[in-house]
Amino acid sequence: MRSMSFKSRGTTALSLLLWTLCACPGLARAQDVRPDAAPGAAQSAAPDAALIARGRQLAVAADCAACHTAPKGGVPFAGGYAIESPMGAIVATNITPSTTHGIGAYTLAEFQRALRQGVRRDGAHLYPAMPYTAYTQLSDADTQALYAYFMHDVKPVDTPVAETHLPFPFSVRASMAAWNAMFLKDQRFTPDPAKTEQVNRGAYLANALAHCSTCHTPRNTLMAEDLGKPFLSGANVGPWFAPNITSDKVHGIGGWSDDELVQYLKTGQVHGKAQAAGPMAEAIEHSLQHLPEADLRAIVAYLKQTPAVVGGGTSTDIRPRHAFGDASRDEVALRGLNDVDPGWRVFSASCAHCHQENGTGTRNGEYPSLFHNTATGGDRADNLIATILHGVDRTVAGKPHFMPAFGDDASFTDRLSDQEIADLSNYVLSRYGNAAVKVSLEDVRVARAGGPKPLLAKAQPFLVPAAVLVLLALIALVLRSRRAKRARRSL
Ligand code: HEC
Ligand code: HEC
Ligand code: HEC
């Protein structure tokens, strides 16, 4: 299951209330009139092959298939994938050009409105599970190319998908209007003349198309990318943690060479540094590995000049998260000690045959070392726990990279309990990674349940009673002022 970045849900009562109360300095408000929203603009013109081919490339760079094609052999863009969010599952819709169940009736202007303002053809608001907060930056030319591709090169599929039913108040799509007014920066990308062409290209790729920030930037209590918190400084994505990828040499990716970063984005694997699992594996498998090398270099040039930010997956230690630990030296002596460590017993039974008893992995790196590994050296163990629960499943250049899952999807004999995973994680951290990080039973329980719940999701059961209280208070106020007026009149 793709767990969602948080992609955000709004609330009626809460966000409307906050919207009216908050002055929201620095937050752009939606502008209602789009000069480029002339209906049917591109439909009449016969699209040429070059435009369609360009649209196809853009759809890959924007990773539309990650959500709109159901995993494991779903029909391209026919939808049906239920994306887990803290507020409930949101179903990605059919965006094939079917006129009955897809987007076949969309005009170019309607298509642009969906990508940029998150509004459906029938005027209903989309949830930001659809990353329109990023796509809003797409140029006119690129939205036209995408439109030409979807209308003329994607096969129409006339089958419906399940409807999304979120619990009240998230079920009220109109509340997203207030959310958008607060958080949607409805603006096209403008190159920064002070930066090189390559950096500007990278910024456009990373921010408008590949939407890196929807996972790597922290979210606020209303599930929007937190404009008060530093961009790309690290955030939870369900049970995973998308680390700080700013230019900071210790806390971000500033200590990686350009070639290593390009290799990571292309393959998901840099020996002695990191591997990509979970949502990052999906981004690489469906999108990033297919980008031309020049585009990956542009993204890396852009990352390398982002403002350096401290925190977000790395402790205050002077070492970057990929520089912790080394092989257990004296294996025989260790074994004596290890026999009494419950984590060792799990490790030797479930992990050692691939990652080796001393954690070095295999020489060719196919089974990676557990030291010098960002999953074990950070200031948090999310990616270690999530990897144990969900494994690794990433196909790059036709070759699968696979580690089995030991969580609920595992076969009965492989499945590990919360206690076993906590013991195992603490063993791995103390032996190979950042020994200062400790994993509790509760950490594992939360990860197994899908990751930390944001405040908004936790508050959901109380939002209805809260709204009722506000309403009662308003009624009481109105009644009182009427009574006061009547009393004044009768004087
Ligand atoms: C991270 C997941 C994700 C990605 C990536 C994504 N979408 Fe979506 N999209 C969704 C979801 C979920 C919905 C339905 C949201 C809802 O019901 O509120 C949606 C809805 C839409 C709709 C509205 C269709 C309708 O009438 O119901 C269009 C159009 C659309 N997406 C086009 C695209 C295009 C084009 C791309 C790539 C440029 C893309 N999407 C990428 C998740 C995604
Ligand atoms: C769907 C969510 C998602 C998107 C989109 C995404 N990432 Fe990630 N990224 C993650 C997660 C989660 C991890 C941790 C993966 C792991 O360790 O297995 C990660 C890891 C990384 C790492 C390795 C960091 C480390 O210390 O191990 C880099 C570099 C990175 N991402 C860059 C990017 C760039 C650049 C983009 C956009 C082009 C991007 N990511 C888009 C979720 C995402
Ligand atoms: C069948 C072989 C196999 C077994 C068993 C196995 N792993 Fe892995 N492990 C892999 C492979 C393959 C990768 C990913 C390599 C890649 O991405 O290129 C991996 C990756 C990892 C990573 C890095 C993930 C990331 O997101 O950065 C960690 C941590 C890890 N394994 C820990 C464990 C632990 C703990 C166990 C025992 C429960 C275990 N592995 C069992 C093969 C295995």
Side-chain angles (χ1 to χ4, degrees):
M1 226 188 281
R2 181 184 178 101
S3 43
M4 161 159 221
S5 0
F6 108 137
K7 292 171 172 188
S8 359
R9 287 344 39 102
T11 77
T12 39
L14 193 55
S15 62
L16 278 168
L17 202 70
L18 283 172
W19 185 39
T20 41
L21 292 181
C22 136
C24 298
L27 298 180
R29 295 187 181 265
Q31 286 111 43
D32 323 297
V33 197
R34 306 261 72 70
D36 49 20
Q43 251 184 352
S44 45
D48 62 279
L51 186 68
I52 291 176
R54 175 150 176 73
R56 189 185 307 118
Q57 282 170 357
L58 288 162
V60 168
D63 209 1
C64 312
C67 301
H68 287 283
T69 301
K72 309 285 166 219
V75 183
F77 304 115
Y81 189 7
I83 300 169
E84 282 305 318
S85 88
M87 282 70 190
I90 301 174
V91 184
T93 38
N94 177 336
I95 56 166
T96 71
S98 157
T99 46
T100 52
H101 294 99
I103 59 168
Y106 272 67
T107 62
L108 171 64
E110 286 163 348
F111 182 76
Q112 286 173 326
R113 189 175 64 158
L115 289 183
R116 291 170 170 175
Q117 284 95 40
V119 176
R120 232 162 45 183
R121 179 158 186 271
D122 65 2
H125 280 275
L126 296 169
Y127 296 112
M130 161 73 186
Y132 60 86
T133 48
Y135 299 151
T136 192
Q137 298 190 38
L138 290 174
S139 68
D140 286 352
D142 284 356
T143 48
Q144 278 160 17
L146 278 166
Y147 182 72
Y149 166 64
F150 277 99
M151 291 302 152
H152 299 282
D153 202 39
V154 172
K155 201 168 154 284
V157 178
D158 297 327
T159 46
V161 299
E163 272 192 40
T164 296
H165 291 294
L166 296 186
F168 185 82
F170 310 122
S171 53
V172 183
R173 285 179 179 269
S175 64
M176 294 314 304
W179 191 93
N180 289 343
M182 286 191 285
F183 302 120
L184 174 65
K185 209 170 161 204
D186 184 6
Q187 281 164 12
R188 310 298 84 81
F189 177 80
T190 40
D192 179 345
K195 305 253 158 91
T196 63
E197 200 181 311
Q198 189 190 33
V199 167
N200 275 313
R201 171 83 186 136
Y204 184 72
L205 280 160
N207 298 330
L209 283 162
H211 55 276
C212 319
S213 77
T214 59
C215 295
H216 284 274
T217 297
R219 303 243 162 202
N220 65 18
T221 41
L222 287 179
M223 304 298 303
E225 281 176 39
D226 196 334
L227 302 177
K229 291 232 182 83
F231 198 60
L232 300 178
S233 66
N236 267 104
V237 185
W240 301 90
F241 189 79
N244 180 338
I245 54 168
T246 69
S247 65
D248 191 273
K249 284 215 159 39
V250 174
H251 300 262
I253 46 71
W256 297 43
S257 72
D258 289 3
D259 286 345
E260 286 171 335
L261 282 166
V262 169
Q263 184 187 329
Y264 184 88
L265 298 177
K266 180 116 203 130
T267 68
Q269 197 180 41
V270 177
H271 301 161
K273 276 211 160 60
Q275 300 78 41
M280 190 64 203
E282 292 186 39
I284 289 167
E285 179 169 324
H286 301 296
S287 172
L288 298 171
Q289 67 160 322
H290 304 292
L291 297 191
E293 166 125 0
D295 280 357
L296 296 178
R297 297 227 163 253
I299 293 176
V300 169
Y302 164 71
L303 288 182
K304 280 287 186 82
Q305 58 77 64
T306 52
V309 177
V310 167
T314 305
S315 58
T316 46
D317 201 290
I318 44 157
R319 269 179 297 174
R321 56 185 174 268
H322 58 74
F324 275 78
D326 43 45
S328 308
R329 284 150 306 263
D330 188 347
E331 282 170 60
V332 183
L334 265 180
R335 192 145 333 143
L337 261 181
N338 284 335
D339 279 342
V340 294
D341 185 327
W344 159 254
R345 280 197 288 274
V346 185
F347 184 81
S348 61
S350 302
C351 322
H353 53 291
C354 291
H355 294 286
Q356 309 299 305
E357 274 190 14
N358 60 359
T360 43
T362 49
R363 208 177 269 271
N364 64 3
E366 187 49 47
Y367 299 140
S369 70
L370 295 180
F371 48 88
H372 290 193
N373 187 322
T374 56
T376 60
D379 66 354
R380 43 197 308 151
D382 307 51
N383 291 339
L384 172 61
I385 302 171
T387 301
I388 298 170
L389 286 168
H390 301 291
V392 181
D393 188 357
R394 191 183 71 244
T395 298
V396 173
K399 185 168 179 283
H401 300 269
F402 183 79
M403 162 173 154
F406 295 88
D408 298 343
D409 298 338
S411 71
F412 186 72
T413 45
D414 282 352
R415 205 169 301 168
L416 298 176
S417 69
D418 290 354
Q419 185 66 57
E420 285 170 318
I421 292 178
D423 291 343
L424 168 63
S425 302
N426 287 323
Y427 173 81
V428 169
L429 289 167
S430 66
R431 193 67 80 216
Y432 310 115
N434 185 353
V437 175
K438 299 279 177 268
V439 172
S440 69
L441 210 53
E442 177 65 7
D443 294 336
V444 182
R445 201 192 55 73
V446 167
R448 201 190 281 272
K453 278 232 186 314
L455 191 65
L456 193 56
K458 282 194 203 138
Q460 189 267 334
F462 309 108
L463 292 178
V464 179
V468 170
L469 282 181
V470 169
L471 204 69
L472 286 177
L474 282 175
I475 293 172
L477 272 177
V478 171
L479 288 180
R480 223 174 61 187
S481 78
R482 277 216 197 136
R483 222 177 292 138
K485 251 187 233 157
R486 229 178 283 141
R488 246 180 278 129
R489 241 182 272 138
S490 64
L491 276 180

